[in-house]
Amino acid sequence: MEDGKQKPDRKSEIGAVAHAIGLLRQLGASKTPLGVNELARRVSLHKSSVSRLMSTLENYGFVEREDPDGRYGLGVELVALAGPMIADLDVVKVSRPVLRQMADETGETVYVAVWSGRDTIMIEQAKGERAVAHYAAPGTSMPTHASAAGKLFMAFRPDTYRSVMAEPELEVFTEFTHVGDALQAELEEIRQNGFAVNDQEYELESCGVAAPIRDVNGVVVGALTVAAPKHRFSARQQMNMAVLIVRQAAELSRRMGFSTHAA
């Protein structure tokens, strides 16, 4: 070796980066902070390796300890990195005034979600006066097959459908989660109706309706969603939400350059 110096092990470095990304994804998908032991189990690494990686991520602000037990959550440095990109997404800029208007009109939480190529992610939201406090913050990923926005992407985007269906087994979160033939039938219904419904499929008492936002080429680039608790989600309320969400999503699509005449 030149000058007696040992060359860095690039394969080891690349592996460490991949493991760090895996840990960040686990934290992003979790509703609660995670400890080293639980993270090690989820990513199939020894806890000593996970501990070293988490310490490095913590030093750079990508994760932070959130409770006295030393469990981790995502850090604010990720927001600093992602903020400029999110702010420049056209679908976010176009949707902001509509989100506020809809939140005021419905009193519920209204948000826009996108398909990242791997996950369904909520990127912008507005809360009405009746909004349920525990709804997730922007940047939260949702199970694609068990959310109104995610099923919308599955119905209208072949890449999303292939990605989700490639999973060995879709998780059943509640007794209302649709998988298999029931999910396939629902996706066809979504294509026909032009909107998707989540009726307690991810969490009990949590419901929503979503409609597609299309870009100038007709690609579904976002899902406009109104979320509501089960006690405000009767059949009539669902339909009222669907009418409103479809109309507003169509207006957002028009602002994105989409024309039904050109479709």
Side-chain angles (χ1 to χ4, degrees):
M1 307 226 174
E2 195 171 67
D3 300 329
K5 294 181 180 178
Q6 186 174 3
K7 292 183 179 180
D9 186 347
R10 285 189 57 79
K11 190 174 291 187
S12 175
E13 290 177 355
I14 293 170
V17 172
H19 292 322
I21 291 171
L23 291 168
L24 291 173
R25 283 177 169 161
Q26 289 297 326
L27 291 175
S30 177
K31 297 177 186 177
T32 60
L34 298 175
V36 168
N37 289 340
E38 175 62 15
L39 284 165
R41 185 187 67 78
R42 292 190 180 198
V43 299
S44 300
L45 284 175
H46 194 278
K47 64 181 182 180
S48 62
S49 299
V50 171
S51 181
R52 287 194 298 272
L53 287 168
M54 295 303 290
S55 293
T56 301
L57 290 170
E58 184 179 18
N59 288 339
Y60 283 94
F62 294 132
V63 302
E64 56 188 36
R65 297 174 196 251
E66 293 197 358
D67 60 32
D69 295 329
R71 291 181 296 181
Y72 290 93
L74 294 177
V76 295
E77 185 61 27
L78 289 172
V79 178
L81 285 177
M85 180 198 73
I86 292 176
D88 285 337
L89 286 175
D90 285 347
V91 69
V92 173
K93 291 180 179 179
V94 168
S95 66
R96 279 178 180 147
V98 171
L99 290 177
R100 184 67 266 161
Q101 175 189 337
M102 288 186 63
D104 291 340
E105 186 174 344
T106 64
E108 307 290 1
T109 299
V110 185
Y111 64 84
V112 170
V114 298
W115 170 249
S116 71
R118 178 185 175 92
D119 299 297
T120 298
I121 301 175
M122 192 260 280
I123 58 171
E124 189 77 4
Q125 73 173 3
K127 294 183 178 180
E129 61 181 10
R130 299 187 300 174
V132 177
H134 75 266
Y135 280 136
T140 301
S141 61
M142 300 172 285
T144 302
H145 70 287
S147 63
K151 289 185 292 182
L152 199 72
F153 292 127
M154 287 188 72
F156 291 110
R157 291 187 55 139
D159 59 332
T160 306
Y161 179 85
R162 288 193 297 268
S163 177
V164 175
M165 298 309 292
E167 296 179 17
E169 186 176 357
L170 296 181
E171 186 171 354
V172 176
F173 297 97
T174 75
E175 61 185 295
F176 304 105
T177 306
H178 294 164
V179 295
D181 291 343
L183 177 60
Q184 296 293 348
E186 186 180 11
L187 295 178
E188 183 55 38
E189 188 175 334
I190 291 168
R191 296 184 191 101
Q192 294 175 8
N193 294 338
F195 64 88
V197 173
N198 165 29
D199 194 346
Q200 305 186 95
E201 294 165 45
Y202 180 36
E203 293 179 314
L204 295 177
E205 304 302 320
S206 180
C207 305
V209 182
I213 304 170
R214 299 178 183 272
D215 67 9
V216 65
N217 298 311
V219 177
V220 175
V221 293
L224 182 63
T225 306
V226 58
K230 180 61 178 175
H231 64 269
R232 293 199 294 269
F233 206 66
S234 66
R236 181 176 180 179
Q237 288 168 316
Q238 284 184 44
M239 189 50 59
N240 289 340
M241 289 179 189
V243 170
L244 175 62
I245 208 87
V246 167
R247 182 174 71 243
Q248 295 289 12
E251 172 59 19
L252 289 177
S253 298
R254 185 190 67 78
R255 296 184 190 183
M256 293 284 291
F258 176 68
S259 171
T260 54
H261 301 293

